[in-house]
């Protein structure tokens, strides 16, 4: 018997879909909503943004699995049982999807999609001269499972890419910059900035107004990391004053983005409702069931996160 307590605060996926997928790997698997009393007996939890304090009540719990690639939603619960292994999803399909999203918004910006769409209403058939993208410098902040794929794909398309991480990742072949000095250098010298970092105490509000103003004039900012990494008012100012050409955002400090948020009024900021890479039960269930099997047979599962590092 495998009992999994389930919670998806976004209602992106249904407990029935997850159960049907899991049955292919374990005929005796059951899912129960985390908020249900019966979840008290669960040994496994599959959750996105669980109600605070609830996981600590599950005394038989042996594994917590994040319903996404990020785990920052778990640290919001100060009573999170940190002695239990916590794993995150690492899915090549999600990395590919995210990489496609980055390419879509980057190429749309470079080929002046926003400008041409704005001409549609008045039926103006007018041209801008083509942007010179030869050797366009692109910085990718965060080169883990997702960022490494994004950087590699951009390099294949002949962009001049530098990946940024706190420390060098020798297994990755593209150019890298590290630490605070490397970060400041990339900010000052790159034209496109792509944030794919995990949210931790170190990356919270990393992109301040001052940082945006240090980017070269006309730079473009893309964020599929977390909204809390950005000073949103500072970004808006940098776009409004014309220092930045614009931004494409898939993540926000508050989601859903409130109707009164000033980003909605700024045409140069493209708004995406956290869809760059969505969790698909069909493609991730195998790794979840393998992790459950690992725990049952006394092994350490894959993709365990470090609560101290916060990712
Ligand atoms: C999405 O934001 C995820 O963490 O998978």
């Amino acid at each position: 018997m495998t009992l999994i307590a389930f919670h998806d605060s976004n209602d992106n996926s249904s407990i029935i879909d997850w159960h049907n997928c899991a049955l292919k790997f374990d005929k005796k698997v059951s899912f129960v909503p985390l908020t249900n009393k019966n979840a008290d007996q669960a040994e496994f939890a599959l959750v996105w943004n669980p109600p605070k304090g609830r996981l600590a009540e599950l005394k038989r719990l042996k594994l917590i699995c994040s319903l996404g690639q990020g785990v920052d939603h778990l640290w919001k619960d100060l009573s999170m049982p940190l002695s239990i292994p916590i794993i995150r999803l690492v899915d090549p399909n999600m990395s590919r999807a995210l990489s496609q999203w980055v390419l879509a918004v980057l190429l749309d910006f470079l080929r002046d999609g926003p400008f041409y769409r704005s001409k549609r209403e008045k039926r103006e058939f007018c041209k801008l001269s083509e942007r010179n993208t030869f050797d366009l410098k692109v910085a990718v902040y965060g080169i883990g499972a997702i960022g490494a794929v994004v950087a590699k794909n951009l390099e294949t398309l002949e962009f001049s890419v530098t990946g940024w991480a706190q420390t060098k990742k020798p297994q990755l072949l593209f150019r890298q910059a590290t630490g605070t000095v490397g970060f400041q250098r990339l900010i000052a010298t790159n034209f496109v900035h792509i944030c794919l970092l995990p949210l931790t105490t170190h990356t919270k509000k990393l992109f301040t107004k001052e940082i945006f103003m240090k980017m070269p004039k006309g730079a473009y900012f893309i964020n599929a990391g977390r909204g809390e990494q950005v000073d949103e008012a500072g970004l808006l100012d940098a776009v409004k004053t014309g220092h930045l050409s614009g931004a494409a955002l898939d993540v926000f400090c508050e989601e859903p983005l409130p109707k009164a948020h000033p980003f909605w009024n700024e045409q140069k900021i493209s708004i995406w409702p956290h869809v760059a890479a969505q969790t698909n039960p069909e493609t991730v269930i195998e790794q979840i069931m393998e992790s459950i099997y690992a725990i049952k047979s006394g092994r350490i599962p894959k993709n365990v996160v470090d609560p101290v590092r916060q990712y």
Side-chain angles (χ1 to χ4, degrees):
M1 173 72 181
T2 307
L3 184 60
I4 303 179
F6 178 85
H7 187 83
D8 180 2
S9 69
N10 289 335
D11 282 334
N12 277 342
S13 51
S14 90
I15 194 166
I16 298 167
D17 289 345
W18 282 98
H19 186 214
N20 285 338
C21 288
L23 279 173
K24 292 180 200 146
F25 295 88
D26 181 347
K27 293 274 165 277
K28 292 196 176 147
V29 67
S30 297
F31 279 66
V32 58
L34 176 66
T35 47
N36 190 309
K37 186 80 191 114
N38 294 341
D40 290 1
Q41 301 307 314
E43 290 181 316
F44 308 98
L46 180 57
V47 292
W48 184 264
N49 213 0
K52 293 192 180 66
R54 180 60 182 135
L55 287 174
E57 290 172 357
L58 275 50
K59 298 300 175 211
R60 304 183 61 186
L61 208 53
K62 293 189 176 140
L63 178 73
I64 297 169
C65 177
S66 167
L67 209 46
Q69 315 209 61
V71 284
D72 47 290
H73 58 104
L74 297 174
W75 314 137
K76 288 181 193 155
D77 180 353
L78 297 179
S79 66
M80 187 59 50
L82 299 181
S83 55
I84 297 169
I86 298 177
I87 58 170
R88 71 190 195 97
L89 301 178
V90 175
D91 179 9
N93 294 292
M94 288 169 86
S95 301
R96 191 182 310 120
L98 205 133
S99 174
Q100 288 168 350
W101 178 81
V102 168
L103 279 176
V105 297
L106 172 56
L107 295 178
D108 186 53
F109 159 66
L110 290 177
R111 300 313 306 256
D112 297 303
F115 174 80
Y116 292 122
R117 282 192 293 278
S118 75
K119 297 293 155 200
R120 191 181 175 102
E121 199 183 335
K122 291 196 177 150
R123 305 187 178 204
E124 284 173 346
F125 199 74
C126 55
K127 297 182 190 186
L128 287 180
S129 50
E130 200 174 294
R131 230 180 259 273
N132 180 8
T133 57
F134 178 68
D135 206 22
L136 187 95
K137 292 176 87 177
V138 179
V140 178
Y141 304 91
I143 44 176
I146 299 171
V149 174
V150 171
K152 226 168 61 189
N153 289 347
L154 289 173
E155 214 172 48
T156 310
L157 290 177
E158 298 180 355
F159 289 108
S160 169
V161 181
T162 310
W164 181 84
Q166 208 44 261
T167 52
K168 190 166 166 60
K169 303 198 173 200
Q171 73 278 21
L172 299 176
L173 301 180
F174 49 81
R175 190 172 43 242
Q176 293 175 43
T178 55
T180 311
V181 174
F183 180 79
Q184 295 286 348
R185 185 164 53 77
L186 289 194
I187 290 293
T189 55
N190 282 259
F191 195 67
V192 176
H193 302 266
I194 305 170
C195 172
L196 301 171
L197 289 161
L199 179 64
T200 67
T201 38
H202 297 294
T203 65
K204 204 168 182 165
K205 293 280 178 280
L206 181 65
F207 293 91
T208 56
K209 173 153 185 206
E210 196 195 357
I211 289 292
F212 288 122
M213 296 314 282
K214 281 186 179 158
M215 292 174 180
K217 185 159 170 50
Y220 196 68
F221 180 66
I222 297 174
N223 193 9
R226 286 290 183 259
E228 292 97 318
Q229 287 155 344
V230 174
D231 165 10
E232 291 186 335
L235 172 61
L236 189 63
D237 271 5
V239 172
K240 272 189 180 306
T241 57
H243 186 73
L244 292 191
S245 290
L249 308 175
D250 187 51
V251 287
F252 304 89
C253 287
E254 191 181 339
E255 294 179 16
L257 187 65
K259 292 210 187 301
H261 198 290
F263 279 170
W264 289 112
N265 299 325
E266 180 47 71
Q267 292 302 323
K268 291 183 191 146
I269 295 182
S270 99
I271 295 171
W272 297 71
H274 206 139
V275 287
Q278 299 182 51
T279 302
N280 178 352
E282 305 243 354
T283 62
V284 295
I285 195 65
E286 186 167 355
Q287 62 181 273
I288 295 169
M289 298 313 285
E290 262 174 19
S291 298
I292 289 179
Y293 189 65
I295 293 284
K296 286 187 175 186
S297 43
R299 285 181 290 115
I300 298 172
K302 281 190 193 156
N303 305 320
V304 174
V305 297
D306 177 354
V308 176
R309 230 167 49 140
Q310 299 165 23
Y311 66 96

